[in-house]
Amino acid sequence: MSSSSPLVSVIVPTYFSSSLLGKCLLSIKNQTYKNIEIIVVDNYSKDNTKLISDKYGAKFFLAGPDQTKNRIFGAPFQRNFGFKKASGEYLYYVDADMELPNGLIEECVGLMRDNGNCKAIIIAEESFGKGFWAKCKWLERKSYRGDDTVEAPRFFKEDELKEMGYLDDKIGADDWDLTLRMRKKNYEILRTKNHIMHNEGNLKLSKLIKKRFLYGKDAWRFHKKHGGENFIKYFQPFRKSYFKSWKLFLRHPILLAGMVFMRFCEYSGGGLGMLYGRFIMKKL
């Protein structure tokens, strides 16, 4: 492979992800850009994750705090482990429920190659799935397009990410934390035209609330590290992008009502998680 096609390492953290992992890995294997290594970092799942990883030629590892024993968000630990095992000049982390459009990695490499100052790339997400709440999540993510207080980079130059110390796995919103640290260094962050597809499956409110509770447990550390102004900027429920998306919302009034209720539930779960992390866990 020529120097114009540097190795890209794609890190995929998994946790009981076998139902969706195959489509994710297939979308990586089918990329027009071929110099790719796939690294799956599993969190002690008792399913077919390893078999699926082997089928698509991925390097497979077990790492992170065992989530079957501790209710903790393990993905940042797994991503950092994968970064350190990677051999690529570029690092890209995706979730097991994501599917890449065919030319995405080629576009990312091209942006890095053609813009010498670019250190990281944001790839916007578009959701799909089954049921009413998945449709509400589609509307929500659609409204975020171009919002830097929501969307964060996932594709990096390896040496720059290493210099940053990778992700902070002990802080709520590790992706926003890394974004802030990169912007403080005036690193240039670009965006792709392509967007990645996020498969929400048969989305349930209970799943969203539990997820936000886990995020919220460590969110107070984000406040301590980055201050109240940045905390409000990134965690506030009223996004500027909502106002910019008023035409989109008018076309989908029922989904908008569902989205408002869904976000209320998510913020309630996150708030309870923050209270638990800030006061109860300190006493344990």
Side-chain angles (χ1 to χ4, degrees), residues 15 66-71:
Y15 181 63
D66 189 343
Q67 294 178 78
T68 62
K69 298 177 181 178
N70 302 290
R71 292 302 296 156

Side-chain angles (χ1 to χ4, degrees), residues 211-223:
K211 186 176 181 180
R212 293 299 167 183
F213 180 86
L214 291 179
Y215 288 168
K217 286 202 302 183
D218 292 323
W220 62 271
R221 291 180 174 144
F222 185 98
H223 183 284

Side-chain angles (χ1 to χ4, degrees), residues 8 22 129 145 152 167 189 198 200-201 216-217 249:
V8 177
R145 193 66 58 86
L167 295 167
I189 300 174
H198 193 149
E200 305 289 350
K217 286 202 302 183
F249 292 150

Side-chain angles (χ1 to χ4, degrees), residues 67-178:
Q67 294 178 78
T68 62
K69 298 177 181 178
N70 302 290
R71 292 302 296 156
I72 189 170
F73 185 56
F77 298 90
Q78 295 165 254
R79 291 165 183 161
N80 282 342
F81 183 93
F83 293 151
K84 294 170 185 176
K85 292 292 183 180
S87 302
E89 181 177 335
Y90 299 121
L91 304 177
Y92 178 30
Y93 71 86
V94 303
D95 297 333
D97 56 1
M98 292 178 172
E99 298 173 25
L100 284 62
N102 209 12
L104 178 60
I105 292 182
E106 185 173 19
E107 182 184 2
C108 289
V109 172
L111 283 171
M112 287 288 193
R113 182 184 59 239
D114 298 338
N115 299 272
N117 293 325
C118 178
K119 309 297 184 184
I121 296 174
I122 295 171
I123 300 103
E125 296 179 25
E126 184 160 323
S127 289
F128 69 100
K130 299 177 181 178
F132 179 69
W133 300 116
K135 293 177 181 178
C136 294
K137 184 59 71 172
W138 165 82
L139 183 67
E140 178 196 345
R141 290 196 194 279
K142 192 81 170 178
S143 72
Y144 290 150
R145 193 66 58 86
D147 189 339
D148 286 343
T149 65
V150 179
E151 298 171 331
R154 285 175 172 253
F155 192 101
F156 307 90
K157 287 185 176 179
E158 187 278 335
D159 54 350
E160 303 294 349
L161 188 58
K162 183 177 181 180
E163 182 182 320
M164 294 299 300
Y166 304 112
L167 295 167
D168 185 341
D169 51 28
K170 295 180 178 61
I171 194 170
D174 52 286
D175 51 353
W176 290 342
D177 165 73
L178 179 60

